[in-house]
Each structure stands twice: as structure tokens, then as C-alpha cells.
Amino acid sequence: MTVRWVTGFLDSPSRAAEPFWVAVTGWSLSARRGGGVFATLVPAAGDACLRVQVVGDGPARSHLDLHVDDIGEAAVRVVGLGAVEVADHGDVRVLRSPAGIVFCLVPWRGERVRPSGGVSVVDQLCLDVPAVAYEREVGFWSAVTGWAVRATDLPEFSYLQRPAGMGVRLLLQRVGGEVAGVHVDFACSDVDAEMARHVEAGASVVRRVPGEWTTLRDPVGREYCVTGRAPFSS
């Protein structure tokens, strides 16, 4: 099994936040499909790595899709590593990681070029993992992707070394509480300026870590972060 591409999904009760995400990413919204349920945020350069979905219930949340060559083979592999299969829709398999993070296996359509351009970029999908499950979850995602685990200078974070050209990096964060989840991180060269741009577009500030990152909420209450990582870094 080879993970060819990773896509983040913004799952919302309605389309209310979609104009906000178009504004802050600078990407355009594709034609809708699946009876109006799905659309893709299309960058001016590179392959798409962020999509929107109307799920009809709350709260607003995020999940990730792993793009693979053979969905059936990949499903057997990830279940063997500890995932639980939730649903089989033929060309989409829905699963949960050992800590409860929802993800999908979907067909690879040739994506291979990281989006580029602009003052910021969707850079990471952060997997928020309760402390009690953290070590197992890090091992699970490394085994699923085949990507090496790398430490950071903060003990509550580690990341997986993505291949060259991969659109988003996977960051894992040790959190309190009992519920695992996923959120989107932007990289930018000026966190304060980027934060102000997002607030002007309709976000609200949740918390700030000066010089590092700011956590915000989009117009439907979904948390995400703006970080000081250099855009387009590895």
C-alpha cells in the first residue's frame, strides 16, 4: 500500500462557511457534485488538497482522505494495523483510527504537485490525539503512510516526513480530553498579519501563542490554526 496523496475535508452542516474558505485560501470552488454535497477548493497552481462537504449535522469538523491505488487492498492493510471500518461505499471506504480519527480511502487520480503561490498556504492536517492514545496513534499513522516520525522542539507535537511534492503534512498533537479529531493548519510568514486577514474574512480568535501560532474559528465554529511555519517548507 502506498499513500499517493492526502486531502483534507471540511465537513459542515451547511454551505455557510464555504465563501470564507475560498477567501482565506485564495482558491476557487469547483462545480458541486454528489447531488450538491461535495466541492473542491482548486488552487491556481498545483493539485487540490482541500475539499468541502455538507454533512447535514453538527458540529462542523474535519477529516482526511488517503488516496491509494487499490482501495480494497489498502482497507485490509489499515484494518490489520488497528483501524475499524465504518462504511464501504465502493469507491470510498470510511474508517476510524485506533484513537477514533475518521478517515477515508479513495482512488488516486494522479495528484502529485503541491499547491503554491500566495502569502499563505494550507500546510498541515493536525491529528489531535488524547494523551493516553498518543504513542499508539503515532505508530499507526506512520505504519499506514510509510512515513518516518520526526520530533519537533515541542514535546506535544511530532510529524510524519511527507514525500516530496505531497500537498499537506501530517502533524500529530498530544491533547487533553478523550476525543480525537483533525484540524487544518495554514503556514505563513507573518502570523499577526495572517490572523488579521482571517478575522476580517469572518474568523474569530480562540487563543494565541505569540511567535508560534494562533487558533481561530471559522464562521460555523470549526477550529483551525495559522502557524509561523514558512510557506512551502518541507
Side-chain angles (χ1 to χ4, degrees):
M1 168 184 168
T2 300
V3 174
R4 301 288 191 177
W5 195 250
V6 178
T7 296
F9 252 94
L10 304 173
D11 303 321
S12 306
S14 71
R15 302 181 188 177
E18 291 178 8
F20 168 83
W21 284 92
V22 168
V24 295
T25 59
W27 298 343
S28 60
L29 198 66
S30 73
R32 306 195 75 87
R33 57 194 182 277
V37 171
F38 303 100
T40 300
L41 287 159
V42 182
D47 292 314
C49 60
L50 190 64
R51 292 176 177 160
V52 295
Q53 176 179 207
V54 177
V55 294
D57 65 349
R61 52 199 183 270
S62 302
H63 79 267
L64 66 155
D65 281 5
L66 304 181
H67 300 239
V68 297
D69 294 313
D70 186 318
I71 293 174
E73 175 188 331
V76 171
R77 167 74 173 159
V78 299
V79 167
L81 291 169
V84 174
E85 186 161 2
V86 176
D88 180 355
H89 300 299
D91 61 346
V92 177
R93 297 281 190 98
V94 184
L95 302 106
R96 284 195 182 93
S97 74
I101 290 174
V102 174
F103 66 102
C104 297
L105 298 173
V106 300
W108 181 52
R109 305 298 188 192
E111 300 94 341
R112 64 179 74 248
V113 180
R114 187 185 306 178
S116 61
V119 297
S120 67
V121 69
V122 172
D123 174 55
Q124 299 177 143
L125 297 176
C126 183
L127 311 184
D128 302 313
V129 184
V132 68
Y134 186 77
E135 296 301 332
R136 183 184 181 192
E137 194 75 357
V138 169
F140 170 81
W141 286 101
S142 180
V144 166
T145 59
W147 304 349
V149 179
R150 304 297 187 205
T152 73
D153 55 358
L154 296 172
E156 65 266 36
F157 293 99
S158 56
Y159 69 93
L160 303 183
Q161 184 67 58
R162 61 181 166 183
M166 182 64 65
V168 290
R169 190 172 79 158
L170 295 184
L171 179 72
L172 293 104
Q173 177 178 205
R174 193 190 314 262
V175 298
E178 299 179 355
V179 180
V182 178
H183 74 262
V184 172
D185 284 353
F186 284 77
C188 67
S189 55
D190 186 330
V191 172
D192 288 342
E194 183 71 1
M195 176 191 68
R197 189 175 73 87
H198 286 234
V199 169
E200 184 176 3
S204 57
V205 175
V206 177
R207 68 185 69 87
R208 299 184 65 187
V209 180
E212 295 286 349
W213 69 84
T214 295
T215 302
L216 302 107
R217 286 193 184 98
D218 75 0
V220 294
R222 177 182 16 246
E223 292 193 4
Y224 69 99
C225 293
V226 167
T227 80
R229 266 176 49 83
F232 320 117
S233 57
S234 60

